[in-house]
Amino acid sequence: MKNLLVMAHTVWIETLRRKDLYVLAALLAALLLLFVSLDIFGVRSMVNYIKEIGFLLAWVFAWILVIGVSVRQLPQEE
């Protein structure tokens, strides 16, 4: 169990060092702010639809982050 925690900590530190997380978080925040601002312009009937698009984008960005981190980490582990 200790080896698994050490490996997870190393991957997390490497992800923060490469700044992948920051770029994807900034993109996600920008898109979510765009979708939230649409409610200001009177698009009240589409609020649920806009929220679902936001959640879908969060899910997609999380998958991109997971795949990117795992692909970059494999050559270093070998």
Side-chain angles (χ1 to χ4, degrees):
M1 184 68 173
K2 185 176 180 181
N3 292 337
L4 182 64
L5 291 175
V6 169
M7 188 182 308
H9 183 264
T10 304
V11 169
W12 180 251
I13 296 298
E14 188 68 21
T15 301
L16 292 177
R17 183 186 69 81
R18 289 188 180 165
K19 312 278 190 285
D20 293 342
L21 184 66
Y22 303 127
V23 171
L24 287 175
L27 287 173
L28 178 62
L31 287 172
L32 287 177
L33 285 175
L34 173 72
F35 288 138
V36 169
S37 70
L38 290 177
D39 188 33
I40 294 171
F41 299 119
V43 190
R44 298 204 185 274
S45 63
M46 297 180 62
V47 171
N48 287 335
Y49 180 69
I50 291 169
K51 286 179 186 177
E52 289 296 322
I53 290 174
F55 288 136
L56 176 67
L57 286 173
W59 182 75
V60 168
F61 280 126
W63 271 104
I64 291 170
L65 181 65
V66 166
I67 291 171
V69 167
S70 63
V71 167
R72 284 184 167 181
Q73 197 66 26
L74 282 175
Q76 291 179 358
E77 294 297 324
E78 291 178 355

